[in-house]
Amino acid sequence: MAILADGLATLDGDHFRVRVTEAARDLIGRMIVVGRGAEQRSAIVVETEAYAGLDDPASHAAFRPGGRAAVMASEPGTIYVYAAYGMYPCLNIVADERGVSSAVLVRGVWVDGDERAVLGPGLTTRLLGITLDDHGSMIGEGRIRISSVRRDATISVLPRVGIRRGVELPWRFIDQRVERNCG
């Protein structure tokens, strides 16, 4: 944990040195902050999914192990950003131990004062201003920080969505307040 000049106590990479499903669940209720000063954007994480390495058929590490996805085997807390359909940046945070190739996809956030959450990984990154340039940086050392404080949340555990393989795995985590207001 670090306390930055702006007073925000944030997580560092060591916090993500846990099973990817634990890291995904733990992110629910935490504030994600992107940028600094006047250019700063923030929101509360309300939906995540876990992708667990070479044995997970939906993980990029299993079916697309080279290129950008190679960063999934990096140190916990490394940022993995890929472009879904070649156009929508999606934010992932590497979890578990180095070499395991696991990451947490941030699927949805809630901005204080907004009536509804922003759900969908591409919409989330657009709202926060995350780009492919953030790929490979470390959580807390670059533009992307996550608060060490976690808001209370009752979390639903559901199957992942938007994939064709590994859909039966209950590795999607969503704040129940958001789940009730979806659709």
Side-chain angles (χ1 to χ4, degrees):
M1 181 173 72
I3 298 180
L4 302 175
D6 59 8
L8 180 65
T10 61
L11 302 177
D12 59 19
D14 282 338
H15 184 82
F16 294 91
R17 201 172 297 279
V18 295
R19 275 185 52 88
V20 70
T21 51
E22 184 180 331
R25 182 183 198 102
D26 178 74
L27 279 177
I28 303 298
R30 293 190 187 275
M31 181 175 22
I32 185 167
V33 180
V34 180
R36 305 261 188 230
E39 298 298 315
Q40 184 171 284
R41 299 176 187 187
S42 63
I44 303 299
V45 177
V46 295
E47 184 180 12
T48 61
E49 283 181 346
Y51 289 88
L54 300 175
D55 294 330
D56 178 355
S59 173
H60 289 172
F63 70 89
R64 189 187 316 164
R68 291 178 95 66
V71 80
M72 290 178 72
S74 296
E75 288 296 320
T78 302
I79 302 297
Y80 167 40
V81 181
Y82 69 91
Y85 308 109
M87 42 195 310
Y88 305 110
C90 296
L91 170 65
N92 295 264
I93 303 166
V94 174
D96 214 310
E97 293 295 327
R98 181 179 183 85
V100 175
S101 298
S102 295
V104 176
L105 172 65
V106 178
R107 289 195 50 85
V109 295
W110 196 305
V111 177
D112 274 341
D114 283 359
E115 192 172 310
R116 299 195 93 178
V118 172
L119 301 176
L123 293 173
T124 295
T125 54
R126 256 186 288 171
L127 172 81
L128 293 171
I130 294 169
T131 69
L132 294 174
D133 291 338
D134 292 306
H135 178 76
S137 62
M138 284 297 290
I139 202 77
E141 294 179 8
R143 293 179 346 109
I144 302 171
R145 301 174 287 157
I146 297 176
S147 171
S148 62
V149 175
R150 191 169 171 266
R151 292 186 181 184
D152 287 336
T154 303
I155 300 169
S156 289
V157 181
L158 304 166
R160 296 178 294 188
V161 296
I163 55 175
R164 289 187 284 252
R165 299 174 284 255
V167 294
E168 71 285 353
L169 295 172
W171 289 354
R172 178 174 162 228
F173 303 89
I174 188 168
D175 184 319
Q176 284 185 2
R177 290 171 288 201
V178 173
E179 182 185 14
R180 284 193 300 269
N181 291 317
C182 291

mmCIF file with all atom_site columns, all heavy atoms in Angstrom, residues 47-51 107 156-163 165-174 179:
data_model
loop_
_atom_site.group_PDB
_atom_site.id
_atom_site.type_symbol
_atom_site.label_atom_id
_atom_site.label_alt_id
_atom_site.label_comp_id
_atom_site.label_asym_id
_atom_site.label_entity_id
_atom_site.label_seq_id
_atom_site.pdbx_PDB_ins_code
_atom_site.Cartn_x
_atom_site.Cartn_y
_atom_site.Cartn_z
_atom_site.occupancy
_atom_site.B_iso_or_equiv
_atom_site.pdbx_formal_charge
_atom_site.auth_seq_id
_atom_site.auth_comp_id
_atom_site.auth_asym_id
_atom_site.auth_atom_id
_atom_site.pdbx_PDB_model_num
ATOM 1   N N   . GLU A 1 47  ? -18.210 -4.492  -11.162 1.00 0.00 ? 47  GLU A N   1
ATOM 2   C CA  . GLU A 1 47  ? -18.301 -5.775  -11.855 1.00 0.00 ? 47  GLU A CA  1
ATOM 3   C C   . GLU A 1 47  ? -16.925 -6.171  -12.383 1.00 0.00 ? 47  GLU A C   1
ATOM 4   O O   . GLU A 1 47  ? -16.220 -5.348  -12.974 1.00 0.00 ? 47  GLU A O   1
ATOM 5   C CB  . GLU A 1 47  ? -19.290 -5.701  -13.011 1.00 0.00 ? 47  GLU A CB  1
ATOM 6   C CG  . GLU A 1 47  ? -19.493 -7.018  -13.712 1.00 0.00 ? 47  GLU A CG  1
ATOM 7   C CD  . GLU A 1 47  ? -20.481 -6.951  -14.872 1.00 0.00 ? 47  GLU A CD  1
ATOM 8   O OE1 . GLU A 1 47  ? -20.844 -5.835  -15.297 1.00 0.00 ? 47  GLU A OE1 1
ATOM 9   O OE2 . GLU A 1 47  ? -20.858 -8.026  -15.360 1.00 0.00 ? 47  GLU A OE2 1
ATOM 10  N N   . THR A 1 48  ? -16.553 -7.427  -12.146 1.00 0.00 ? 48  THR A N   1
ATOM 11  C CA  . THR A 1 48  ? -15.274 -7.955  -12.616 1.00 0.00 ? 48  THR A CA  1
ATOM 12  C C   . THR A 1 48  ? -15.463 -9.395  -13.090 1.00 0.00 ? 48  THR A C   1
ATOM 13  O O   . THR A 1 48  ? -16.479 -10.033 -12.791 1.00 0.00 ? 48  THR A O   1
ATOM 14  C CB  . THR A 1 48  ? -14.213 -7.971  -11.495 1.00 0.00 ? 48  THR A CB  1
ATOM 15  O OG1 . THR A 1 48  ? -14.668 -8.806  -10.433 1.00 0.00 ? 48  THR A OG1 1
ATOM 16  C CG2 . THR A 1 48  ? -13.917 -6.563  -10.983 1.00 0.00 ? 48  THR A CG2 1
ATOM 17  N N   . GLU A 1 49  ? -14.461 -9.896  -13.798 1.00 0.00 ? 49  GLU A N   1
ATOM 18  C CA  . GLU A 1 49  ? -14.399 -11.312 -14.158 1.00 0.00 ? 49  GLU A CA  1
ATOM 19  C C   . GLU A 1 49  ? -12.970 -11.792 -13.990 1.00 0.00 ? 49  GLU A C   1
ATOM 20  O O   . GLU A 1 49  ? -12.026 -11.040 -14.232 1.00 0.00 ? 49  GLU A O   1
ATOM 21  C CB  . GLU A 1 49  ? -14.820 -11.543 -15.609 1.00 0.00 ? 49  GLU A CB  1
ATOM 22  C CG  . GLU A 1 49  ? -16.298 -11.487 -15.826 1.00 0.00 ? 49  GLU A CG  1
ATOM 23  C CD  . GLU A 1 49  ? -16.707 -11.739 -17.264 1.00 0.00 ? 49  GLU A CD  1
ATOM 24  O OE1 . GLU A 1 49  ? -15.854 -11.712 -18.176 1.00 0.00 ? 49  GLU A OE1 1
ATOM 25  O OE2 . GLU A 1 49  ? -17.909 -11.957 -17.476 1.00 0.00 ? 49  GLU A OE2 1
ATOM 26  N N   . ALA A 1 50  ? -12.829 -13.050 -13.601 1.00 0.00 ? 50  ALA A N   1
ATOM 27  C CA  . ALA A 1 50  ? -11.512 -13.662 -13.432 1.00 0.00 ? 50  ALA A CA  1
ATOM 28  C C   . ALA A 1 50  ? -11.181 -14.541 -14.636 1.00 0.00 ? 50  ALA A C   1
ATOM 29  O O   . ALA A 1 50  ? -12.047 -15.252 -15.150 1.00 0.00 ? 50  ALA A O   1
ATOM 30  C CB  . ALA A 1 50  ? -11.501 -14.508 -12.162 1.00 0.00 ? 50  ALA A CB  1
ATOM 31  N N   . TYR A 1 51  ? -9.916  -14.482 -15.063 1.00 0.00 ? 51  TYR A N   1
ATOM 32  C CA  . TYR A 1 51  ? -9.403  -15.330 -16.148 1.00 0.00 ? 51  TYR A CA  1
ATOM 33  C C   . TYR A 1 51  ? -8.128  -15.982 -15.638 1.00 0.00 ? 51  TYR A C   1
ATOM 34  O O   . TYR A 1 51  ? -7.164  -15.294 -15.313 1.00 0.00 ? 51  TYR A O   1
ATOM 35  C CB  . TYR A 1 51  ? -9.181  -14.501 -17.416 1.00 0.00 ? 51  TYR A CB  1
ATOM 36  C CG  . TYR A 1 51  ? -10.508 -14.105 -18.006 1.00 0.00 ? 51  TYR A CG  1
ATOM 37  C CD1 . TYR A 1 51  ? -11.144 -12.946 -17.603 1.00 0.00 ? 51  TYR A CD1 1
ATOM 38  C CD2 . TYR A 1 51  ? -11.145 -14.949 -18.891 1.00 0.00 ? 51  TYR A CD2 1
ATOM 39  C CE1 . TYR A 1 51  ? -12.397 -12.618 -18.094 1.00 0.00 ? 51  TYR A CE1 1
ATOM 40  C CE2 . TYR A 1 51  ? -12.395 -14.629 -19.397 1.00 0.00 ? 51  TYR A CE2 1
ATOM 41  C CZ  . TYR A 1 51  ? -13.021 -13.465 -18.999 1.00 0.00 ? 51  TYR A CZ  1
ATOM 42  O OH  . TYR A 1 51  ? -14.265 -13.149 -19.476 1.00 0.00 ? 51  TYR A OH  1
ATOM 43  N N   . ARG A 1 107 ? -15.157 -5.036  -15.601 1.00 0.00 ? 107 ARG A N   1
ATOM 44  C CA  . ARG A 1 107 ? -16.302 -4.995  -16.516 1.00 0.00 ? 107 ARG A CA  1
ATOM 45  C C   . ARG A 1 107 ? -17.243 -3.817  -16.280 1.00 0.00 ? 107 ARG A C   1
ATOM 46  O O   . ARG A 1 107 ? -17.988 -3.451  -17.178 1.00 0.00 ? 107 ARG A O   1
ATOM 47  C CB  . ARG A 1 107 ? -17.135 -6.273  -16.385 1.00 0.00 ? 107 ARG A CB  1
ATOM 48  C CG  . ARG A 1 107 ? -16.489 -7.512  -16.925 1.00 0.00 ? 107 ARG A CG  1
ATOM 49  C CD  . ARG A 1 107 ? -17.513 -8.620  -17.092 1.00 0.00 ? 107 ARG A CD  1
ATOM 50  N NE  . ARG A 1 107 ? -18.695 -8.210  -17.802 1.00 0.00 ? 107 ARG A NE  1
ATOM 51  C CZ  . ARG A 1 107 ? -18.809 -8.188  -19.135 1.00 0.00 ? 107 ARG A CZ  1
ATOM 52  N NH1 . ARG A 1 107 ? -17.817 -8.548  -19.887 1.00 0.00 ? 107 ARG A NH1 1
ATOM 53  N NH2 . ARG A 1 107 ? -19.931 -7.789  -19.688 1.00 0.00 ? 107 ARG A NH2 1
ATOM 54  N N   . SER A 1 156 ? -22.735 -10.776 -5.891  1.00 0.00 ? 156 SER A N   1
ATOM 55  C CA  . SER A 1 156 ? -23.255 -11.965 -6.554  1.00 0.00 ? 156 SER A CA  1
ATOM 56  C C   . SER A 1 156 ? -22.124 -12.602 -7.339  1.00 0.00 ? 156 SER A C   1
ATOM 57  O O   . SER A 1 156 ? -21.287 -11.902 -7.924  1.00 0.00 ? 156 SER A O   1
ATOM 58  C CB  . SER A 1 156 ? -24.383 -11.605 -7.523  1.00 0.00 ? 156 SER A CB  1
ATOM 59  O OG  . SER A 1 156 ? -25.529 -11.219 -6.814  1.00 0.00 ? 156 SER A OG  1
ATOM 60  N N   . VAL A 1 157 ? -22.110 -13.924 -7.367  1.00 0.00 ? 157 VAL A N   1
ATOM 61  C CA  . VAL A 1 157 ? -21.125 -14.686 -8.129  1.00 0.00 ? 157 VAL A CA  1
ATOM 62  C C   . VAL A 1 157 ? -21.887 -15.391 -9.237  1.00 0.00 ? 157 VAL A C   1
ATOM 63  O O   . VAL A 1 157 ? -22.799 -16.181 -8.965  1.00 0.00 ? 157 VAL A O   1
ATOM 64  C CB  . VAL A 1 157 ? -20.393 -15.699 -7.227  1.00 0.00 ? 157 VAL A CB  1
ATOM 65  C CG1 . VAL A 1 157 ? -19.360 -16.480 -8.019  1.00 0.00 ? 157 VAL A CG1 1
ATOM 66  C CG2 . VAL A 1 157 ? -19.744 -14.986 -6.039  1.00 0.00 ? 157 VAL A CG2 1
ATOM 67  N N   . LEU A 1 158 ? -21.519 -15.088 -10.481 1.00 0.00 ? 158 LEU A N   1
ATOM 68  C CA  . LEU A 1 158 ? -22.270 -15.558 -11.640 1.00 0.00 ? 158 LEU A CA  1
ATOM 69  C C   . LEU A 1 158 ? -21.331 -16.135 -12.698 1.00 0.00 ? 158 LEU A C   1
ATOM 70  O O   . LEU A 1 158 ? -20.120 -15.902 -12.647 1.00 0.00 ? 158 LEU A O   1
ATOM 71  C CB  . LEU A 1 158 ? -23.040 -14.374 -12.251 1.00 0.00 ? 158 LEU A CB  1
ATOM 72  C CG  . LEU A 1 158 ? -23.979 -13.617 -11.319 1.00 0.00 ? 158 LEU A CG  1
ATOM 73  C CD1 . LEU A 1 158 ? -24.394 -12.299 -11.952 1.00 0.00 ? 158 LEU A CD1 1
ATOM 74  C CD2 . LEU A 1 158 ? -25.187 -14.466 -11.015 1.00 0.00 ? 158 LEU A CD2 1
ATOM 75  N N   . PRO A 1 159 ? -21.878 -16.824 -13.694 1.00 0.00 ? 159 PRO A N   1
ATOM 76  C CA  . PRO A 1 159 ? -21.043 -17.249 -14.823 1.00 0.00 ? 159 PRO A CA  1
ATOM 77  C C   . PRO A 1 159 ? -20.572 -16.020 -15.615 1.00 0.00 ? 159 PRO A C   1
ATOM 78  O O   . PRO A 1 159 ? -21.250 -14.986 -15.660 1.00 0.00 ? 159 PRO A O   1
ATOM 79  C CB  . PRO A 1 159 ? -21.991 -18.096 -15.675 1.00 0.00 ? 159 PRO A CB  1
ATOM 80  C CG  . PRO A 1 159 ? -23.109 -18.471 -14.766 1.00 0.00 ? 159 PRO A CG  1
ATOM 81  C CD  . PRO A 1 159 ? -23.233 -17.350 -13.774 1.00 0.00 ? 159 PRO A CD  1
ATOM 82  N N   . ARG A 1 160 ? -19.429 -16.149 -16.262 1.00 0.00 ? 160 ARG A N   1
ATOM 83  C CA  . ARG A 1 160 ? -18.903 -15.057 -17.081 1.00 0.00 ? 160 ARG A CA  1
ATOM 84  C C   . ARG A 1 160 ? -19.784 -14.864 -18.314 1.00 0.00 ? 160 ARG A C   1
ATOM 85  O O   . ARG A 1 160 ? -20.504 -15.775 -18.715 1.00 0.00 ? 160 ARG A O   1
ATOM 86  C CB  . ARG A 1 160 ? -17.460 -15.354 -17.490 1.00 0.00 ? 160 ARG A CB  1
ATOM 87  C CG  . ARG A 1 160 ? -16.530 -15.429 -16.288 1.00 0.00 ? 160 ARG A CG  1
ATOM 88  C CD  . ARG A 1 160 ? -15.126 -15.777 -16.663 1.00 0.00 ? 160 ARG A CD  1
ATOM 89  N NE  . ARG A 1 160 ? -15.008 -17.124 -17.208 1.00 0.00 ? 160 ARG A NE  1
ATOM 90  C CZ  . ARG A 1 160 ? -13.850 -17.727 -17.465 1.00 0.00 ? 160 ARG A CZ  1
ATOM 91  N NH1 . ARG A 1 160 ? -12.713 -17.114 -17.233 1.00 0.00 ? 160 ARG A NH1 1
ATOM 92  N NH2 . ARG A 1 160 ? -13.825 -18.951 -17.951 1.00 0.00 ? 160 ARG A NH2 1
ATOM 93  N N   . VAL A 1 161 ? -19.706 -13.687 -18.899 1.00 0.00 ? 161 VAL A N   1
ATOM 94  C CA  . VAL A 1 161 ? -20.515 -13.360 -20.078 1.00 0.00 ? 161 VAL A CA  1
ATOM 95  C C   . VAL A 1 161 ? -19.610 -12.866 -21.207 1.00 0.00 ? 161 VAL A C   1
ATOM 96  O O   . VAL A 1 161 ? -18.452 -12.488 -20.970 1.00 0.00 ? 161 VAL A O   1
ATOM 97  C CB  . VAL A 1 161 ? -21.577 -12.286 -19.757 1.00 0.00 ? 161 VAL A CB  1
ATOM 98  C CG1 . VAL A 1 161 ? -22.581 -12.809 -18.743 1.00 0.00 ? 161 VAL A CG1 1
ATOM 99  C CG2 . VAL A 1 161 ? -20.943 -11.005 -19.257 1.00 0.00 ? 161 VAL A CG2 1
ATOM 100 N N   . GLY A 1 162 ? -20.149 -12.863 -22.420 1.00 0.00 ? 162 GLY A N   1
ATOM 101 C CA  . GLY A 1 162 ? -19.422 -12.315 -23.565 1.00 0.00 ? 162 GLY A CA  1
ATOM 102 C C   . GLY A 1 162 ? -18.309 -13.213 -24.076 1.00 0.00 ? 162 GLY A C   1
ATOM 103 O O   . GLY A 1 162 ? -17.430 -12.758 -24.792 1.00 0.00 ? 162 GLY A O   1
ATOM 104 N N   . ILE A 1 163 ? -18.332 -14.493 -23.692 1.00 0.00 ? 163 ILE A N   1
ATOM 105 C CA  . ILE A 1 163 ? -17.315 -15.444 -24.131 1.00 0.00 ? 163 ILE A CA  1
ATOM 106 C C   . ILE A 1 163 ? -18.015 -16.699 -24.648 1.00 0.00 ? 163 ILE A C   1
ATOM 107 O O   . ILE A 1 163 ? -19.207 -16.906 -24.399 1.00 0.00 ? 163 ILE A O   1
ATOM 108 C CB  . ILE A 1 163 ? -16.341 -15.811 -22.986 1.00 0.00 ? 163 ILE A CB  1
ATOM 109 C CG1 . ILE A 1 163 ? -17.113 -16.337 -21.768 1.00 0.00 ? 163 ILE A CG1 1
ATOM 110 C CG2 . ILE A 1 163 ? -15.482 -14.614 -22.604 1.00 0.00 ? 163 ILE A CG2 1
ATOM 111 C CD1 . ILE A 1 163 ? -16.244 -16.840 -20.637 1.00 0.00 ? 163 ILE A CD1 1
ATOM 112 N N   . ARG A 1 165 ? -16.139 -19.916 -24.535 1.00 0.00 ? 165 ARG A N   1
ATOM 113 C CA  . ARG A 1 165 ? -15.519 -21.041 -23.828 1.00 0.00 ? 165 ARG A CA  1
ATOM 114 C C   . ARG A 1 165 ? -15.468 -20.717 -22.338 1.00 0.00 ? 165 ARG A C   1
ATOM 115 O O   . ARG A 1 165 ? -15.265 -19.574 -21.964 1.00 0.00 ? 165 ARG A O   1
ATOM 116 C CB  . ARG A 1 165 ? -14.096 -21.258 -24.347 1.00 0.00 ? 165 ARG A CB  1
ATOM 117 C CG  . ARG A 1 165 ? -14.026 -21.603 -25.813 1.00 0.00 ? 165 ARG A CG  1
ATOM 118 C CD  . ARG A 1 165 ? -12.569 -21.652 -26.247 1.00 0.00 ? 165 ARG A CD  1
ATOM 119 N NE  . ARG A 1 165 ? -12.008 -20.320 -26.401 1.00 0.00 ? 165 ARG A NE  1
ATOM 120 C CZ  . ARG A 1 165 ? -11.778 -19.736 -27.566 1.00 0.00 ? 165 ARG A CZ  1
ATOM 121 N NH1 . ARG A 1 165 ? -12.055 -20.337 -28.677 1.00 0.00 ? 165 ARG A NH1 1
ATOM 122 N NH2 . ARG A 1 165 ? -11.265 -18.530 -27.614 1.00 0.00 ? 165 ARG A NH2 1
ATOM 123 N N   . GLY A 1 166 ? -15.618 -21.729 -21.516 1.00 0.00 ? 166 GLY A N   1
ATOM 124 C CA  . GLY A 1 166 ? -15.513 -21.531 -20.074 1.00 0.00 ? 166 GLY A CA  1
ATOM 125 C C   . GLY A 1 166 ? -16.644 -20.721 -19.472 1.00 0.00 ? 166 GLY A C   1
ATOM 126 O O   . GLY A 1 166 ? -16.492 -20.149 -18.398 1.00 0.00 ? 166 GLY A O   1
ATOM 127 N N   . VAL A 1 167 ? -17.796 -20.691 -20.148 1.00 0.00 ? 167 VAL A N   1
ATOM 128 C CA  . VAL A 1 167 ? -18.919 -19.872 -19.666 1.00 0.00 ? 167 VAL A CA  1
ATOM 129 C C   . VAL A 1 167 ? -19.537 -20.420 -18.382 1.00 0.00 ? 167 VAL A C   1
ATOM 130 O O   . VAL A 1 167 ? -20.188 -19.686 -17.651 1.00 0.00 ? 167 VAL A O   1
ATOM 131 C CB  . VAL A 1 167 ? -20.025 -19.714 -20.754 1.00 0.00 ? 167 VAL A CB  1
ATOM 132 C CG1 . VAL A 1 167 ? -19.515 -18.923 -21.919 1.00 0.00 ? 167 VAL A CG1 1
ATOM 133 C CG2 . VAL A 1 167 ? -20.552 -21.055 -21.199 1.00 0.00 ? 167 VAL A CG2 1
ATOM 134 N N   . GLU A 1 168 ? -19.332 -21.698 -18.122 1.00 0.00 ? 168 GLU A N   1
ATOM 135 C CA  . GLU A 1 168 ? -19.953 -22.313 -16.947 1.00 0.00 ? 168 GLU A CA  1
ATOM 136 C C   . GLU A 1 168 ? -19.255 -21.938 -15.638 1.00 0.00 ? 168 GLU A C   1
ATOM 137 O O   . GLU A 1 168 ? -19.797 -22.140 -14.559 1.00 0.00 ? 168 GLU A O   1
ATOM 138 C CB  . GLU A 1 168 ? -19.976 -23.840 -17.098 1.00 0.00 ? 168 GLU A CB  1
ATOM 139 C CG  . GLU A 1 168 ? -18.628 -24.507 -16.978 1.00 0.00 ? 168 GLU A CG  1
ATOM 140 C CD  . GLU A 1 168 ? -17.709 -24.355 -18.200 1.00 0.00 ? 168 GLU A CD  1
ATOM 141 O OE1 . GLU A 1 168 ? -18.135 -23.834 -19.245 1.00 0.00 ? 168 GLU A OE1 1
ATOM 142 O OE2 . GLU A 1 168 ? -16.537 -24.735 -18.082 1.00 0.00 ? 168 GLU A OE2 1
ATOM 143 N N   . LEU A 1 169 ? -18.060 -21.387 -15.724 1.00 0.00 ? 169 LEU A N   1
ATOM 144 C CA  . LEU A 1 169 ? -17.309 -21.051 -14.514 1.00 0.00 ? 169 LEU A CA  1
ATOM 145 C C   . LEU A 1 169 ? -17.914 -19.831 -13.811 1.00 0.00 ? 169 LEU A C   1
ATOM 146 O O   . LEU A 1 169 ? -18.124 -18.795 -14.441 1.00 0.00 ? 169 LEU A O   1
ATOM 147 C CB  . LEU A 1 169 ? -15.840 -20.787 -14.851 1.00 0.00 ? 169 LEU A CB  1
ATOM 148 C CG  . LEU A 1 169 ? -15.086 -22.005 -15.393 1.00 0.00 ? 169 LEU A CG  1
ATOM 149 C CD1 . LEU A 1 169 ? -13.705 -21.595 -15.889 1.00 0.00 ? 169 LEU A CD1 1
ATOM 150 C CD2 . LEU A 1 169 ? -14.987 -23.083 -14.333 1.00 0.00 ? 169 LEU A CD2 1
ATOM 151 N N   . PRO A 1 170 ? -18.175 -19.924 -12.517 1.00 0.00 ? 170 PRO A N   1
ATOM 152 C CA  . PRO A 1 170 ? -18.781 -18.809 -11.772 1.00 0.00 ? 170 PRO A CA  1
ATOM 153 C C   . PRO A 1 170 ? -17.713 -17.793 -11.355 1.00 0.00 ? 170 PRO A C   1
ATOM 154 O O   . PRO A 1 170 ? -17.442 -17.611 -10.169 1.00 0.00 ? 170 PRO A O   1
ATOM 155 C CB  . PRO A 1 170 ? -19.418 -19.510 -10.571 1.00 0.00 ? 170 PRO A CB  1
ATOM 156 C CG  . PRO A 1 170 ? -18.500 -20.669 -10.320 1.00 0.00 ? 170 PRO A CG  1
ATOM 157 C CD  . PRO A 1 170 ? -18.022 -21.119 -11.686 1.00 0.00 ? 170 PRO A CD  1
ATOM 158 N N   . TRP A 1 171 ? -17.128 -17.126 -12.335 1.00 0.00 ? 171 TRP A N   1
ATOM 159 C CA  . TRP A 1 171 ? -16.017 -16.217 -12.072 1.00 0.00 ? 171 TRP A CA  1
ATOM 160 C C   . TRP A 1 171 ? -16.341 -14.769 -12.442 1.00 0.00 ? 171 TRP A C   1
ATOM 161 O O   . TRP A 1 171 ? -15.455 -13.985 -12.726 1.00 0.00 ? 171 TRP A O   1
ATOM 162 C CB  . TRP A 1 171 ? -14.774 -16.700 -12.809 1.00 0.00 ? 171 TRP A CB  1
ATOM 163 C CG  . TRP A 1 171 ? -14.188 -17.948 -12.210 1.00 0.00 ? 171 TRP A CG  1
ATOM 164 C CD1 . TRP A 1 171 ? -14.572 -18.583 -11.062 1.00 0.00 ? 171 TRP A CD1 1
ATOM 165 C CD2 . TRP A 1 171 ? -13.101 -18.703 -12.735 1.00 0.00 ? 171 TRP A CD2 1
ATOM 166 N NE1 . TRP A 1 171 ? -13.787 -19.688 -10.839 1.00 0.00 ? 171 TRP A NE1 1
ATOM 167 C CE2 . TRP A 1 171 ? -12.874 -19.785 -11.856 1.00 0.00 ? 171 TRP A CE2 1
ATOM 168 C CE3 . TRP A 1 171 ? -12.292 -18.570 -13.866 1.00 0.00 ? 171 TRP A CE3 1
ATOM 169 C CZ2 . TRP A 1 171 ? -11.887 -20.716 -12.078 1.00 0.00 ? 171 TRP A CZ2 1
ATOM 170 C CZ3 . TRP A 1 171 ? -11.305 -19.510 -14.077 1.00 0.00 ? 171 TRP A CZ3 1
ATOM 171 C CH2 . TRP A 1 171 ? -11.107 -20.569 -13.190 1.00 0.00 ? 171 TRP A CH2 1
ATOM 172 N N   . ARG A 1 172 ? -17.602 -14.435 -12.425 1.00 0.00 ? 172 ARG A N   1
ATOM 173 C CA  . ARG A 1 172 ? -18.037 -13.046 -12.622 1.00 0.00 ? 172 ARG A CA  1
ATOM 174 C C   . ARG A 1 172 ? -18.570 -12.565 -11.280 1.00 0.00 ? 172 ARG A C   1
ATOM 175 O O   . ARG A 1 172 ? -19.363 -13.250 -10.629 1.00 0.00 ? 172 ARG A O   1
ATOM 176 C CB  . ARG A 1 172 ? -19.133 -12.991 -13.685 1.00 0.00 ? 172 ARG A CB  1
ATOM 177 C CG  . ARG A 1 172 ? -19.682 -11.616 -13.931 1.00 0.00 ? 172 ARG A CG  1
ATOM 178 C CD  . ARG A 1 172 ? -20.653 -11.677 -15.109 1.00 0.00 ? 172 ARG A CD  1
ATOM 179 N NE  . ARG A 1 172 ? -21.506 -10.527 -15.145 1.00 0.00 ? 172 ARG A NE  1
ATOM 180 C CZ  . ARG A 1 172 ? -22.822 -10.561 -15.302 1.00 0.00 ? 172 ARG A CZ  1
ATOM 181 N NH1 . ARG A 1 172 ? -23.450 -11.708 -15.452 1.00 0.00 ? 172 ARG A NH1 1
ATOM 182 N NH2 . ARG A 1 172 ? -23.508 -9.451  -15.316 1.00 0.00 ? 172 ARG A NH2 1
ATOM 183 N N   . PHE A 1 173 ? -18.130 -11.379 -10.871 1.00 0.00 ? 173 PHE A N   1
ATOM 184 C CA  . PHE A 1 173 ? -18.501 -10.825 -9.568  1.00 0.00 ? 173 PHE A CA  1
ATOM 185 C C   . PHE A 1 173 ? -19.155 -9.472  -9.803  1.00 0.00 ? 173 PHE A C   1
ATOM 186 O O   . PHE A 1 173 ? -18.615 -8.636  -10.532 1.00 0.00 ? 173 PHE A O   1
ATOM 187 C CB  . PHE A 1 173 ? -17.256 -10.690 -8.687  1.00 0.00 ? 173 PHE A CB  1
ATOM 188 C CG  . PHE A 1 173 ? -16.541 -12.004 -8.516  1.00 0.00 ? 173 PHE A CG  1
ATOM 189 C CD1 . PHE A 1 173 ? -15.560 -12.402 -9.406  1.00 0.00 ? 173 PHE A CD1 1
ATOM 190 C CD2 . PHE A 1 173 ? -16.893 -12.854 -7.485  1.00 0.00 ? 173 PHE A CD2 1
ATOM 191 C CE1 . PHE A 1 173 ? -14.922 -13.623 -9.273  1.00 0.00 ? 173 PHE A CE1 1
ATOM 192 C CE2 . PHE A 1 173 ? -16.265 -14.088 -7.335  1.00 0.00 ? 173 PHE A CE2 1
ATOM 193 C CZ  . PHE A 1 173 ? -15.284 -14.468 -8.234  1.00 0.00 ? 173 PHE A CZ  1
ATOM 194 N N   . ILE A 1 174 ? -20.331 -9.271  -9.201  1.00 0.00 ? 174 ILE A N   1
ATOM 195 C CA  . ILE A 1 174 ? -21.064 -8.016  -9.418  1.00 0.00 ? 174 ILE A CA  1
ATOM 196 C C   . ILE A 1 174 ? -21.742 -7.579  -8.117  1.00 0.00 ? 174 ILE A C   1
ATOM 197 O O   . ILE A 1 174 ? -22.282 -8.411  -7.380  1.00 0.00 ? 174 ILE A O   1
ATOM 198 C CB  . ILE A 1 174 ? -22.087 -8.164  -10.580 1.00 0.00 ? 174 ILE A CB  1
ATOM 199 C CG1 . ILE A 1 174 ? -22.716 -6.824  -10.934 1.00 0.00 ? 174 ILE A CG1 1
ATOM 200 C CG2 . ILE A 1 174 ? -23.115 -9.229  -10.291 1.00 0.00 ? 174 ILE A CG2 1
ATOM 201 C CD1 . ILE A 1 174 ? -23.502 -6.836  -12.234 1.00 0.00 ? 174 ILE A CD1 1
ATOM 202 N N   . GLU A 1 179 ? -26.635 -5.183  -9.973  1.00 0.00 ? 179 GLU A N   1
ATOM 203 C CA  . GLU A 1 179 ? -27.309 -6.299  -10.617 1.00 0.00 ? 179 GLU A CA  1
ATOM 204 C C   . GLU A 1 179 ? -28.829 -6.077  -10.623 1.00 0.00 ? 179 GLU A C   1
ATOM 205 O O   . GLU A 1 179 ? -29.492 -6.305  -11.622 1.00 0.00 ? 179 GLU A O   1
ATOM 206 C CB  . GLU A 1 179 ? -26.962 -7.592  -9.885  1.00 0.00 ? 179 GLU A CB  1
ATOM 207 C CG  . GLU A 1 179 ? -27.567 -8.827  -10.500 1.00 0.00 ? 179 GLU A CG  1
ATOM 208 C CD  . GLU A 1 179 ? -27.291 -10.081 -9.681  1.00 0.00 ? 179 GLU A CD  1
ATOM 209 O OE1 . GLU A 1 179 ? -26.861 -9.976  -8.509  1.00 0.00 ? 179 GLU A OE1 1
ATOM 210 O OE2 . GLU A 1 179 ? -27.524 -11.162 -10.224 1.00 0.00 ? 179 GLU A OE2 1
#
